Amino acid sequence: MNSLIALIPGAPLIGAGFIILLGHRFSAQTCARIAAFMVFISAILVICLWGTLINQPHEVSLKTPLFQQSLFTWMSLGSWQVNLVLTVDKISLIMMTVASCVGFLIHLFSVQFMKGETGERRYFFYLNLFIFGMLSFVMAHDLILLYLGWEIMGLCSYALVSFYYQKSHYAYCGRKAFVVTRIGDTALAIAIMVIFAHFHSIELPIISSLVGAQYIAPINLTLIGSLLILAAIAKSAQFPLHVWLPDAMTGPSTVSALIHAATMVTAGVYLLIRFHPLFELLPDLQIIIAFIGCITAFFAASAALAQNDLKKILAYSTISQIGYMFAAVGVGAYGFALFHLIVHACFKALLFMSSGVIIKAFNDQHDIRQMGGLGHTMPFMRYIYLIGSLTLAALPFITASYYSKDPIIAATYTQDFGFYLTTLALLGALMTGLYSMRMYLIVFSGQPRSEIQVTPFTFSMKAPLAILAFLSITIGFIQTPWNWGPELLIPWLASDLGLPKLPHGNTELVINLLGIAASLIGIALACYFTPKELKHQQGLGNVTFLNQAWYIDTLSMKWIVSPYYYLCHLCRVFIEKIILFKTIELNIVGGLNQGHRALTHAQAGLITRYLYFICIGAIGLLAYILITLYPIYE
């Protein structure tokens, strides 16, 4: 299998290259099928890696990867070389599975969903390139390739968020996503430079081994860790750099599924997990990560309560669920973070793709208050969306997220300030149950509040949704951490990530019961209040403070973006117009004009004037020669 590893990220890259170079010679649907097939190749190869691993089990660590392929040397400076090497270990194999398999289902769904759309070829080009960027990022053996994949995802997200760039607001949202994530990109670039300056290597296994073995000043380790955290916060849309993600809903719903479930938003979590040996030496930074995650989970869930845009509800739910993954990383439960990442990819892709069908059914209407009654018209979609909503709410014992999210909540209690972390996480879980069921009930129950236009819903669209719905229920049973079922994932990851700490005895039982109660109470509150909201047209959607997400975006525009615009205006007026134009440019132009006039007088076409200059030149030259050959001494 080592010889085929390069084809895993290579197949989507070939698909993107084919579309951009030869796509104009084929129909848009042909390009769409080719794009989907290329990601299918990646998914099959990843599944084959799992098969090879199962047939030939062997213990590995971060120093001895499962599979590795060295392609070529792409940079050489003296004795220092950067080789293009792809590495597969346990962590990257899980991420590759999510990116390729969920990515393929999104591609398959998109073939019919995007049929006839303007820019269909461009869409599938960026979709293939997006998958290539994510796979390159997680398979990177060194920081250069990791950063390349990181940047490719940023480029593709910008292009896909502003896919309908003809509308100025959509183009603005794409720019907003690009600019905010640039903060994280800059932080990661600086972190890579600092890492190389202190470890003299960019290879991830070497860096992991040197973190504990080589003495590095604590201030330098803290600087590296802080930069990595900032990069992860921006990429994964965590508080306070979350402001780009709710506005990144302007692209097609399948784009949102790809960004939120299979690729970009999870990249920050993977980055922190990859550098976990470094963070284990910095417990203060780990607590900061945990608090960022829990605060984000609580804040985003509260904001989702009052959203009326269907995709914005899901956007804030993504921010909240990624917050739980950050909390898991912050308390050292890296395996739980990866497990919840897998589960979240399944149900969030399901919800976003289903939302695309719902929005089209209501004639591109995004406001859930204008929907309703869809359950009678589209029963298949009703049950599919119910599964996704209940999984988001972490319905106990049935849905996969119960087995992935509740252990994270329990793990937060084992750390310093555990009571506060657990309280925030539980409140976030309660509100998640409330907003997820509110969303479902408003869209599918009651009578239609707008005209429903049932669009073609083919097998190629139903199959991915059915698979994701099945996984949203069943995948949780691979890891049941309450000692009454199989525990397959966390022990398998223990050689790389260690075993998470969980409370024991009555404390474990109480937290588990509180998690179950939070989910059930949230669902019950939604079932009680949502019919009243629909009847009286007054409810959570009218709470302005929550609807505006605590006014954080408004305040950032007022206190950060507007002063920046004002500074740019001052620079344009004083530096560009006054200093550059009036002072420097005009003086240069004036000097050149004077020189021109002087030369004009010299070159007047008068022979007598030319003879005059020749005589002066000859006298000056003769004087120079005499002084040089016969120096005058005192």
Side-chain angles (χ1 to χ4, degrees):
M1 283 300 297
N2 281 339
S3 60
L4 297 177
I5 289 176
L7 196 57
I8 295 174
L13 181 62
I14 293 171
F18 173 83
I19 293 171
I20 198 68
L21 295 175
L22 302 174
H24 62 281
R25 299 185 179 181
F26 299 88
S27 68
Q29 277 291 287
T30 300
C31 293
R33 294 188 180 96
I34 291 173
F37 179 71
M38 288 302 177
V39 182
F40 177 70
I41 292 174
S42 298
I44 291 298
L45 289 173
V46 171
I47 293 172
C48 290
L49 290 182
W50 281 103
T52 304
L53 185 65
I54 293 172
N55 293 330
Q56 298 178 352
H58 58 283
E59 281 300 315
V60 296
S61 67
L62 292 173
K63 299 179 183 178
T64 56
L66 300 170
F67 308 97
Q68 190 173 78
Q69 184 177 7
S70 180
L71 300 179
F72 55 84
T73 300
W74 65 346
M75 194 181 302
S76 180
L77 297 172
S79 60
W80 183 68
Q81 291 183 336
V82 178
N83 298 315
L84 183 59
V85 180
L86 299 175
T87 300
V88 180
D89 58 14
K90 293 180 179 180
I91 306 171
S92 59
L93 184 57
I94 289 175
M95 297 297 295
M96 291 161 59
T97 306
V98 171
S100 60
C101 294
V102 177
F104 166 67
L105 294 176
I106 295 170
H107 273 74
L108 181 61
F109 183 89
S110 298
V111 172
Q112 181 65 34
F113 183 78
M114 292 297 293
K115 186 177 181 179
E117 288 275 1
T118 303
E120 188 175 350
R121 292 184 184 86
R122 172 166 53 92
Y123 168 86
F124 281 100
F125 162 72
Y126 281 118
L127 225 61
N128 262 199
L129 192 62
F130 215 142
I131 297 293
F132 163 72
M134 184 63 178
L135 290 172
S136 300
F137 171 72
V138 300
M139 297 176 68
H141 182 73
D142 58 67
L143 292 171
I144 302 299
L145 183 58
L146 180 143
Y147 191 72
L148 175 65
W150 179 280
E151 285 296 300
I152 288 173
M153 286 189 287
L155 170 65
C156 293
S157 68
Y158 163 68
L160 289 170
V161 168
S162 56
F163 181 75
Y164 302 112
Y165 61 87
Q166 297 87 349
K167 299 180 180 179
S168 59
H169 175 67
Y170 290 8
Y172 164 80
C173 291
R175 291 196 303 271
K176 183 177 181 179
F178 188 78
V179 170
V180 176
T181 54
R182 289 310 91 188
I183 299 172
D185 297 352
T186 304
L188 181 58
I190 297 172
I192 292 173
M193 297 175 193
V194 178
I195 288 171
F196 181 74
H198 290 91
F199 293 101
H200 307 293
S201 176
I202 58 171
E203 297 184 23
L204 289 167
I206 294 177
I207 294 169
S208 297
S209 62
L210 291 177
V211 164
Q214 178 177 319
Y215 174 77
I216 302 293
I219 185 66
N220 294 324
L221 285 178
T222 303
L223 174 61
I224 295 171
S226 301
L227 290 169
L228 293 174
I229 292 172
L230 180 59
I233 289 173
K235 205 70 165 182
S236 293
Q238 294 296 280
F239 182 88
L241 297 179
H242 65 279
V243 292
W244 67 271
L245 194 59
D247 285 333
M249 300 296 103
T250 53
S253 297
T254 44
V255 169
S256 301
L258 190 68
I259 293 176
H260 291 242
T263 54
M264 180 169 164
V265 178
T266 59
V269 179
Y270 172 80
L271 182 71
L272 296 181
I273 294 174
R274 178 58 71 189
F275 281 93
H276 77 274
L278 171 68
F279 289 108
E280 287 177 352
L281 300 177
L282 302 167
D284 291 341
L285 286 185
Q286 279 195 302
I287 290 296
I288 292 174
I289 295 173
F291 265 104
I292 289 172
C294 288
I295 290 171
T296 304
F298 172 80
F299 152 74
S302 69
L305 283 175
Q307 298 304 311
N308 298 312
D309 186 309
L310 180 60
K311 290 174 70 175
K312 277 197 174 184
I313 296 173
L314 297 178
Y316 279 108
S317 79
T318 297
I319 297 170
S320 180
Q321 297 302 308
I322 297 291
Y324 284 104
M325 300 175 205
F326 267 65
V329 172
V331 299
Y334 311 108
F336 288 155
L338 271 179
F339 185 32
H340 194 51
L341 188 151
I342 298 169
V343 174
H344 176 262
C346 295
F347 72 77
K348 191 50 62 70
L350 170 65
L351 287 170
F352 265 115
M353 290 193 291
S354 301
S355 297
V357 177
I358 294 169
I359 290 169
K360 280 194 173 184
F362 285 102
N363 195 24
D364 290 331
Q365 175 63 254
H366 288 241
D367 193 334
I368 59 175
R369 295 170 298 182
Q370 304 302 319
M371 298 180 182
L374 193 62
H376 305 293
T377 308
M378 304 180 72
F380 174 81
M381 185 59 62
R382 176 180 189 173
Y383 295 115
I384 288 292
Y385 210 82
L386 177 61
I387 292 173
S389 299
L390 290 176
T391 308
L392 174 58
L395 182 68
F397 306 113
I398 298 175
T399 61
S401 59
Y402 165 72
Y403 301 102
S404 62
K405 187 171 75 174
D406 280 39
I408 293 175
I409 297 174
T412 59
Y413 195 77
T414 63
Q415 304 299 311
D416 295 336
F417 308 101
F419 174 80
Y420 303 103
L421 295 173
T422 305
T423 300
L424 288 171
L426 286 171
L427 290 174
L430 188 150
M431 290 185 289
T432 301
L434 176 53
Y435 72 71
S436 61
M437 287 309 297
R438 171 183 177 264
M439 170 182 64
Y440 169 78
L441 292 172
I442 291 179
V443 173
F444 288 93
S445 66
Q447 297 299 318
R449 292 177 290 278
S450 296
E451 181 182 356
I452 298 177
Q453 300 177 350
V454 179
T455 55
F457 199 35
T458 62
F459 176 78
S460 64
M461 297 175 70
K462 290 183 178 180
L465 297 180
I467 293 171
L468 290 170
F470 175 77
L471 292 174
S472 297
I473 297 294
T474 59
I475 200 171
F477 294 103
I478 66 173
Q479 178 64 37
T480 54
W482 307 116
N483 299 320
W484 57 268
E487 295 186 53
L488 304 178
L489 183 64
I490 302 303
W492 182 69
L493 289 170
S495 60
D496 283 7
L497 301 177
L499 290 173
K501 293 180 181 180
L502 287 171
H504 300 288
N506 293 332
T507 304
E508 179 183 16
L509 178 61
V510 169
I511 295 177
N512 186 19
L513 292 175
L514 287 174
I516 294 173
S519 176
L520 294 177
I521 291 172
I523 294 173
L525 288 174
C527 294
Y528 177 77
F529 285 110
T530 302
K532 296 181 180 295
E533 181 179 355
L534 292 175
K535 181 179 180 180
H536 301 290
Q537 297 296 310
Q538 190 75 19
L540 288 171
N542 302 100
V543 181
T544 307
F545 177 74
L546 297 180
N547 182 265
Q548 295 298 318
W550 298 17
Y551 294 101
I552 291 176
D553 197 10
T554 304
L555 292 174
S556 66
M557 289 293 295
K558 181 178 180 180
W559 297 107
I560 298 176
V561 179
S562 295
Y564 178 77
Y565 283 156
Y566 184 70
L567 178 62
C568 292
H569 176 72
L570 291 179
C571 289
R572 184 174 70 250
V573 172
F574 290 101
I575 296 179
E576 182 179 346
K577 291 185 178 180
I578 296 178
I579 298 177
L580 292 179
F581 180 72
K582 292 187 178 179
T583 305
I584 299 177
E585 184 180 353
L586 292 181
N587 286 338
I588 292 175
V589 171
L592 291 175
N593 287 333
Q594 291 180 359
H596 168 70
R597 286 192 292 270
L599 289 175
T600 300
H601 289 302
Q603 302 293 329
L606 299 175
I607 297 178
T608 53
R609 187 171 295 179
Y610 292 161
L611 291 174
Y612 175 74
F613 286 129
I614 291 173
C615 291
I616 293 176
I619 293 171
L621 180 63
L622 181 61
Y624 173 78
I625 294 173
L626 291 175
I627 294 173
T628 303
L629 295 179
Y630 303 100
I632 301 174
Y633 299 96
E634 292 183 2

